[in-house]
Every structure is written in structure tokens, then in C-alpha cells.
Amino acid sequence: MPRNGNQNGQAHKTAIRTALGPSAGGELAPEQLIEMYRLMYLSRRTDDREIMLKRQQKIFFQVSCAGHEALLVAAGMAMKPGYDWFFPYYRDRALCLSLGGTVEQQLLQAVGAAEDIASGGRQMPSHWSNPKLNIVTQSSSTTTQCLHAMGCAEAGRYFFHHPEAAAKHDGDYREYKDVSFHGDEVVYVSIGEGATSQGEFWESLNTASNGKLPVVIVVEDNGYAISTPVEVNTPGGSISQLVKNFPNFHIAEVDGCDPVASYHAMREAVAWCRAGNGPALVHGHVVRPYSHSLSDDERAYRSEAERNADALRDPIARMQMRLLREGILDEAGINKLERQVDEEVQQAADVALRATLPAADSVKKYVYSEVFDPTVQHYDAESAKTPDTTERTMADLINSCLRDEMRRDQRIVVYGEDVADASRDAALKSGELKGKGGVFKLTAGLQKEFGSERVFNSILAEANIVGRAIGMAVRGLKPVVEIQFFDYIWPAMHQMRNELALVRWRSNGTFSCPLVIRCPIGGYLTGGSIYHSQSGESIFTHTPGMRVVMPSNALDAAGLLRTAIRCDDPVLFLEHKRLYRETFGRAAYPGPEYAIPFGKAKTVREGKDITLITYGAVVPRALQAAQKLHRENGLEAEVIDLRSLSPYDWEAIAESVRKTNRVIVAHEDMLSWGYGAEIAARIGDELFHDLDAPVRRVAAMDTFVAYQPLLEDVILPQPEDLYLAMKELAAF
Ligand SMILES: Cc1ncc(C[n+]2csc(CCOP(=O)(O)OP(=O)(O)O)c2C)c(N)n1
């Protein structure tokens, strides 16, 4: 999203507000202080109950909120559940209770019950998710949530600026994606001090600061990341000191064991964000009295003296003393409150232990969208055919498809490294600049037509691109982002595998993040070398939850991209850069409704003697080889272009193999553990009786692609390799 703050480059003056030590009750009424204590005690007793259940082997994991309760109850009280958005981490039990979540819900998750609203028994306890409260599903990966929070805030702002984009629309993902937003909403995200070492934390500060986003980042600093003390993870030992020079940030450092001080710190931070001033970071000093988790024993790495000093700061004991000292509750009042809490926890545990467990076949649900099937033809291309008959390249047709889809659907935003025409857009508007539009120019002209709020440059950080897109898509936007080269997709891998592909499944279908990642891939470039020629599609087809497609020609690219954009699942759209501007496979633009369903292969050459299954840039090479096989050997090869790699068209493969009884699977990626291994294994398994010869594979050598063209030629499969393999197999 474009920046709307700090555009003149002046750093906002940040002030570290130190509120360590006891603070006066301030504006909080006695009932609020009692409620704070009740929630803190409720959280602690729920942890204690879980620990007991774990020891009895009635639950299977435990990680506690103990010591963090004061800060988190304060955070919950300073924010609006179901209005603001929340990306907590595993210590945030007290936050969830403070927002209106229940102990029963939490214990249902601990036993892995079918009614567990967070995940239906898929996620460990303390991995919060509650759609009604806007608590977004979380993984166990530390730090990934920071980028989701940024995307979520960006989406809220976008919908506020473009309320018409929130409208439902029949016939695509929008039908199933409810959008709600508020102009002054705030996004909460929390993290341990150890996890702030991850790059994604710093990437999120970059985005929050640049975009002046209304995000409160709460760092729960208990001094340890499992056994690693704070000074190892944080140079100088204070994260708030390190962050204070980021422009537009409000920074607060507070005793997170003091709920009142924490409440004031949180209220100020939230007010800063709600007023549109930018993001805030609240650095709360908390304690960790129960070791990292039940699998850890901190006595192995923390001295007794240190643990005793922490015990004196325990927020539960301190708050209880305060209520007594200030005469807000007497001993009888404390006892009564604690009895009620204990009863509540007991009742919740009774319900959880009686709960129905998930049916074994429920695990298959929500890997993909259950409501929008991208393998069926949804659209009538003829109804909107354009009169264009000019033969165009794959690059042209991808650009045309993006343009038409953006015209149709205002929820689409396009960003990535260098995809904008020009970030400094004044000269673009005046016509002085032509604009760039991507290193391969696939997004050229989109910013000019749709503006800088819909088409913009990301920072140079691939995890940032995908992580933010996940946050946006959860809210209902449809990001169509670009990873500049497949070779550099790896920083985003963590977000893709542990987040993007999993949001729907792990939340038991209550959250989803359909979006498109466009990514140039592949070699045959003559000089592309190691870092501009990589393949590796099978790494992603091996990730359930993601769709992977890879067109070999212009028409398929337009049709598959349209399905990708309208689809309700995350899609990795692989564009072979060697094919972008080839003469092979050019086509006239088929119009704004032309779509090709996923999982449908195309027989690009009919034949009766041998089947060659392939995709991407090997398709034109396979056709060349097939022609030679016909010319020189009189044999007819059937060439199947899979087009869609996950799902793939098993019926087309089986039909052809039953006809020819001989099959080769060919691809540009390396042979070993490559995409062909799965196809070949399945053919061997299910079509064994139809085969007259072994299943063969032709692929790249098990090495990266070298720079010298002679070496590249040897490494990547060539038409001659395909020809020889077919000739040999035909003679078997
Ligand atoms: C990306 C990633 N790496 C490693 C882990 C394993 N792990 C789980 S919690 C944790 C320590 C986190 O410490 P901190 O951020 O300080 O939070 P705390 O648990 O102390 O609240 C580690 C290393 C993980 N979950 N995710």
C-alpha cells in the first residue's frame, strides 16, 4: 500500500515512555481492577488445570501464559473485540479471555475436540483463533504473524478508502468472503522478545513505519527464548531501544507485571494508532514462572536466585496484594472471587473431557475451498469475446488478463518488487515518465490505470510480500503478487508452507487466504546461470493447500491466470520466462471471461505409439522431438501438456497410457525427487497392466544450471534427449 505518512522523510519524534515500577490506579474504577484480577487469575488457573490434565495424559501439550497475564489483560481491555483485529502468539491466553473468549473454548482445544472453534482438533492448545472476536488463526512459527498483521491493517485501510470493493459478487471467491472494516480499527500483534530476532519482525517494522499503519506490536519480554537469555537475541538487551528510531512509531516500555501501568501504556498506544498517527510498539517486561513449556525445565539454565527474583514480580500475587492494600477487596472477597474462578475452570474442564472427538475423516476437510471448485468451467468465454485477432505473446496476455480482472474486481491489488510503473508517481501522472511495470514488464501500465493504492512496489523482501498478502487475503482482498524470480522465492518459503497453504486447514475452514503468487521460473536462457534459471515446482506441489499451475503458451496463461484470480484457494502461478516472448504459443487475447479450469491437461499432439507427459518450456521441445520421431522413425508420439501441476489431470494421463502403453514423463527440473517421480510412481502403481515398457523420465541433471551455455545445454533436457528417450522406449 502507498505510504501516507512521513513522505517528506522527516523522522517522527519518538519518545520512550518508561512506566516501570508501581503506578497509581488512575482512571480505573475498583470494579475494573477487580475484573482485571479475575481475568488474570482465570488465565493462571486455566494454565494450572491444563498442566494437571497434561500430567494425567488427557491433553497432549501445554504452554502457559503464566507471568504474562497483567500485560495481556490490559491489552484486551484497551482494545475492541470483534472490531479491532488480533494476531496473538501462544502466550496470549489472558488476552483471549479478556476479549471475551472462554475457558471452555480453550480447554476444548487442549483436548483436541471436534467443537474446538480454533481448529477442530488440528492445532496445539494456546494457538488462538476465534472468528467472532477477529482473532486470526496462528501457527507455531515464531514471527510470521507480524507480517499478517501489517497486511490486515493495509486491507482495513483499503476497504475504508474503497467501500465499494467490499461488495459481494456471485461466481467467484467474493461470494464466500465477508468483508467488515472500520475506519479507526487497530490491529494487535504480539511476539516474544526472542522472536524479534527473526527478519520478518524487522520487515514488519519497515512496512508499519512506511505505511503509518495502525498496528500495536506488543513485545512480551520475559527475558528468555526457551533457554536463550535476552542479551543473546537483542543487542543491548532492550528491543524498544532498538526500534525507537523507526519513523512514525509510538514506543512505550512498561512493567508488564503491573496491569494498571500496562493498561495505561496500551491505551496510549491504541489511541495513537486509532487516531491515524501510525504504529506503536509496547515493550512489556514480564516473567516466566513455569519454564518455557511443560517439555522444558528452566532449572537447567537459570539460577535459583534469578528464579526467586522473578517470583517476587509474579503479577497474580502482586495484584492480589494491591487489591487488599488499597481496600478494594478484603480476604473474603478475594476468596469468593477465586472460588468462582475455580468453579468456572472445573466446569469447563468437565465439558472438555466429555467432548466429542473429531471424526477420523474430518482431516480431509478444508485442505482446499469446499465451496468453489476451480476444476470446473465456471465462465462463458464466448459471451465476452473481444474482436482482437492479433497474435500476442504470453507476456502480453498475462498483462491483459491482469488488467481485465482488475477492472472487474476492485479487491485485486498487485504488488511486488518493481511491479509498479513508478513509485514516485507525480512524473508518471504528468506523462513525463513511461513507467517500468516489472522487470519483465508483465505489470506495465497497471499502476497508471488503477492508481498507486492498487499497484505498488513492495520492499525488497519476499517474506514481506507473501506475509502481508496473507493478512490482506484473510480480510477479503485478492492480492496478486509477484516474486521477481523463482530463484528468490525461498525467503517467502516459510510464509508459503507454514502459513499460506495452512490457514484454511488449521482453522478448520473458518479463515482462508486465497491469493495469487505470480512467479517467473526456469532456464534455457543462455547465461541465466544458477540464480536466474531455477525450477523446483515439486517443492510446492508437495505442499497441500496450494494450487500450482504452469502454462506453456499465451492462451493457457490467460485462461489459467483468470481461474487463479477468481479461485478461492492460494495459487502459485509459474510463468516460464523463456516463454514470455516466444513465437511459439502466441495467441489473440480471448477476452475478459476466458478461463481454463485447473487440473485439465491439453493433448498438444495426438499419437498412438508413445506418450510424453510434460509442461512448461519442455512442451515446445517435446513437440520438436515428436516431429523428429515421426520424420525419422515413423512413430507417433502423443504429447500431453499438463498445464496444471496440482491438481493434475490423472484421467488424461491414464487414457493416453492405456492407448500407447509406453510413457515418458519429462520436465526441466532436476530428475531426483522431481515432479515426474510422483507421476511415474502412480503410473507404475495404477497402470502397470497397461504398460509394455518401464516408465521413463527425462529431466535436468541433478545439479544447478551453469552460466556457460555449453554447460546449460548439457544440464537441461534438450529436444535430442527427448527424441532419443522416445526412440529407445519405443524399441523396448
Ligand atoms: C521459526 C521458529 N523457530 C523456532 C521455533 C521453536 N521455538 C518455539 S518458542 C521458541 C522461543 C521463543 O521465545 P520468545 O520469542 O522469547 O517467546 P517466549 O516463549 O519466551 O514467550 C522457539 C525457539 C519456532 N516455533 N518457530
Side-chain angles (χ1 to χ4, degrees):
M1 301 278 145
R3 299 172 306 167
N4 68 355
N6 198 36
Q7 303 228 0
N8 56 11
Q10 269 189 357
H12 162 77
K13 249 187 143 9
T14 52
I16 296 210
R17 200 179 66 86
T18 304
L20 294 170
S23 76
E27 308 126 47
L28 285 164
E31 311 78 64
Q32 286 174 297
L33 294 173
I34 294 170
E35 179 59 4
M36 273 184 157
Y37 180 64
R38 190 188 73 80
L39 287 165
M40 289 165 60
Y41 187 72
L42 184 64
S43 175
R44 182 68 63 92
R45 296 301 283 159
T46 307
D47 275 321
D48 291 341
R49 177 55 63 123
E50 275 194 2
I51 289 165
M52 193 168 97
L53 292 171
K54 170 76 175 73
R55 295 208 163 110
Q56 295 169 340
Q57 297 184 21
K58 290 179 175 157
I59 68 169
F60 318 98
F61 179 77
Q62 213 283 326
V63 61
S64 86
C65 175
H68 293 223
E69 295 96 340
L71 178 64
L72 294 171
V73 165
M77 287 173 76
M79 300 196 69
K80 300 185 190 179
Y83 185 102
D84 294 328
W85 286 79
F86 300 90
F87 293 81
Y89 86 116
Y90 50 81
R91 298 267 181 232
D92 284 20
R93 180 189 301 290
L95 173 90
C96 297
L97 293 172
S98 173
L99 292 174
T102 66
V103 177
E104 188 176 304
Q105 287 164 352
Q106 298 189 350
L107 294 183
L108 283 169
Q109 185 177 31
V111 298
E115 307 105 281
D116 156 32
I117 55 158
S119 77
R122 292 163 184 198
Q123 267 282 46
M124 287 173 152
S126 296
H127 288 62
W128 321 108
S129 177
N130 187 325
K132 282 207 182 88
L133 300 175
N134 290 351
I135 300 174
V136 179
T137 172
Q138 67 168 119
S139 72
S140 302
S141 301
T142 60
T143 322
T144 44
Q145 74 275 17
C146 292
L147 291 168
H148 306 163
M150 301 308 144
C152 174
E154 292 176 283
R157 178 185 288 168
Y158 181 87
F159 284 121
F160 184 62
H161 291 171
H162 304 276
E164 64 285 0
K168 287 252 187 179
H169 190 278
D170 286 346
D172 65 29
Y173 73 100
R174 286 173 292 178
E175 198 175 331
Y176 318 104
K177 202 79 181 163
D178 290 322
V179 171
S180 69
F181 60 92
H182 304 280
D184 65 346
E185 67 187 38
V186 175
V187 178
Y188 165 100
V189 61
S190 62
I191 181 168
E193 89 292 338
T196 63
S197 292
Q198 296 274 0
E200 291 180 38
F201 172 74
W202 297 94
E203 292 179 18
S204 69
L205 295 182
N206 190 333
T207 300
S209 176
N210 262 344
K212 256 184 134 185
L213 294 175
V215 181
V216 181
I217 303 170
V218 176
V219 180
E220 301 175 28
D221 183 351
N222 58 25
Y224 279 88
I226 309 186
S227 66
T228 308
V230 59
E231 69 275 13
V232 175
N233 269 302
T234 310
S238 169
I239 190 66
S240 44
Q241 284 293 339
L242 293 183
V243 173
K244 72 178 181 187
N245 283 328
F246 272 85
N248 301 318
F249 259 90
H250 167 92
I251 309 277
E253 187 176 11
V254 68
D255 177 2
C257 293
D258 178 343
V260 178
S262 298
Y263 177 71
H264 289 308
M266 278 303 301
R267 261 188 39 146
E268 266 185 46
V270 173
W272 171 265
C273 297
R274 222 182 275 297
N277 295 318
L281 182 134
V282 176
H283 178 191
H285 291 274
V286 294
V287 289
R288 198 195 68 180
Y290 284 6
S291 296
H292 171 74
S293 72
L294 265 202
S295 323
D296 173 48
D297 181 355
E298 66 180 2
R299 286 172 300 183
Y301 52 86
R302 292 186 79 183
S303 71
E304 194 177 347
E306 190 184 309
R307 287 186 285 115
N308 288 343
D310 257 18
L312 293 176
R313 293 184 57 215
D314 190 303
I316 306 284
R318 272 174 59 184
M319 187 59 177
Q320 191 192 85
M321 293 302 292
R322 178 182 202 143
L323 294 178
L324 290 168
R325 196 175 59 238
E326 294 181 8
I328 294 169
L329 278 182
D330 58 14
E331 215 178 307
I334 296 273
N335 285 342
K336 187 171 163 213
L337 179 151
E338 293 185 352
R339 248 195 336 271
Q340 282 168 351
V341 163
D342 287 343
E343 268 166 37
E344 184 178 339
V345 174
Q346 178 65 50
Q347 280 171 16
D350 290 344
V351 171
L353 291 172
R354 283 198 309 265
T356 313
L357 299 182
D361 64 358
S362 71
V363 288
K364 292 189 213 139
K365 276 182 89 75
Y366 306 121
V367 176
Y368 297 101
S369 172
E370 305 254 309
V371 287
F372 187 86
D373 182 356
T375 66
V376 303
Q377 185 74 55
H378 290 274
Y379 314 107
D380 176 12
E382 295 306 316
S383 70
K385 203 145 183 155
T386 47
D388 183 16
T389 51
T390 316
E391 296 277 289
R392 295 181 194 281
T393 64
M394 183 195 269
D396 292 334
L397 262 51
I398 288 173
N399 182 269
S400 302
C401 178
L402 286 170
R403 188 183 302 273
D404 274 348
E405 286 301 295
M406 289 190 81
R407 284 178 185 160
R408 189 186 73 88
D409 179 354
Q410 289 199 58
R411 293 195 196 177
I412 298 172
V413 292
V414 167
Y415 66 93
E417 292 157 15
D418 306 298
V419 304
D421 289 319
S423 285
R424 295 176 184 163
D425 60 3
L428 191 69
K429 283 179 183 146
S430 71
E432 185 196 329
L433 295 179
K434 182 164 156 276
K436 184 160 178 73
V439 292
F440 294 104
K441 305 230 173 299
L442 278 270
T443 50
L446 297 181
Q447 183 195 354
K448 265 190 224 163
E449 177 167 348
F450 300 104
S452 312
E453 227 178 341
R454 294 187 68 191
V455 183
F456 51 93
N457 285 330
S458 69
I459 61 169
L460 204 173
E462 287 75 12
N464 180 283
I465 295 170
V466 176
R468 284 159 70 192
I470 291 168
M472 292 179 199
V474 160
R475 294 291 301 273
L477 281 184
K478 173 68 85 166
V480 181
V481 300
E482 180 177 300
I483 296 290
Q484 201 164 73
F485 292 90
F486 186 85
D487 314 65
Y488 309 120
I489 204 166
W490 312 118
M493 185 67 183
H494 194 189
Q495 286 285 349
M496 292 177 74
R497 182 162 173 98
N498 280 355
E499 303 292 347
L500 179 64
L502 267 161
V503 162
R504 190 190 297 277
W505 189 81
R506 76 168 184 240
S507 68
N508 205 16
T510 53
F511 287 102
S512 65
C513 54
L515 59 88
V516 181
I517 300 174
R518 292 184 35 252
C519 185
I521 189 171
Y524 298 111
L525 301 177
T526 316
S529 184
I530 307 166
Y531 299 104
H532 295 85
S533 306
Q534 286 180 32
S535 296
E537 53 279 6
S538 63
I539 296 168
F540 296 94
T541 54
H542 190 61
T543 300
M546 213 179 323
R547 311 283 192 182
V548 182
V549 294
M550 188 163 169
S552 70
N553 59 74
L555 197 61
D556 287 354
L560 289 169
L561 182 58
R562 185 155 285 110
T563 302
I565 291 174
R566 299 185 185 188
C567 173
D568 198 28
D569 294 311
V571 182
L572 178 60
F573 189 82
L574 298 171
E575 302 168 359
H576 202 293
K577 43 194 180 300
R578 178 62 207 257
L579 298 175
Y580 270 154
R581 293 185 168 84
E582 288 280 84
T583 326
F584 169 81
R586 291 190 182 193
Y589 183 56
E593 289 302 313
Y594 181 74
I596 296 172
F598 290 170
K600 305 284 180 256
K602 187 163 149 193
T603 303
V604 290
R605 188 182 196 282
E606 303 246 355
K608 59 177 178 24
D609 298 315
I610 192 163
T611 299
L612 199 150
I613 298 159
T614 191
Y615 52 90
V618 180
V619 172
R621 287 158 181 79
L623 287 173
Q624 250 179 288
Q627 277 157 16
K628 184 168 176 186
L629 190 72
H630 172 65
R631 242 185 359 255
E632 301 196 358
N633 307 82
L635 294 168
E636 297 294 358
E638 180 143 296
V639 180
I640 294 180
D641 177 1
L642 285 177
R643 309 195 284 190
S644 174
L645 306 184
S646 177
Y648 65 92
D649 193 342
W650 174 247
E651 281 69 35
I653 294 170
E655 196 184 314
S656 182
V657 171
R658 285 193 188 108
K659 179 169 70 175
T660 65
N661 315 111
R662 284 177 162 77
V663 59
I664 293 177
V665 191
H667 50 70
E668 179 183 335
D669 197 9
M670 297 166 207
L671 181 82
S672 303
W673 295 282
Y675 184 80
E678 169 65 21
I679 306 290
R682 188 166 174 194
I683 293 170
D685 193 3
E686 296 185 30
L687 302 173
F688 182 75
H689 297 292
D690 296 295
L691 291 172
D692 288 343
V695 185
R696 282 276 152 80
R697 286 177 291 154
V698 176
M701 287 167 63
D702 288 339
T703 173
F704 285 86
V705 177
Y707 170 68
Q708 166 55 242
L710 274 175
L711 299 178
E712 180 183 55
D713 282 356
V714 177
I715 291 162
L716 295 180
Q718 305 298 333
E720 188 63 12
D721 301 319
L722 297 161
Y723 163 73
L724 290 175
M726 286 195 283
K727 191 177 142 192
E728 197 180 297
L729 196 65
F732 184 91

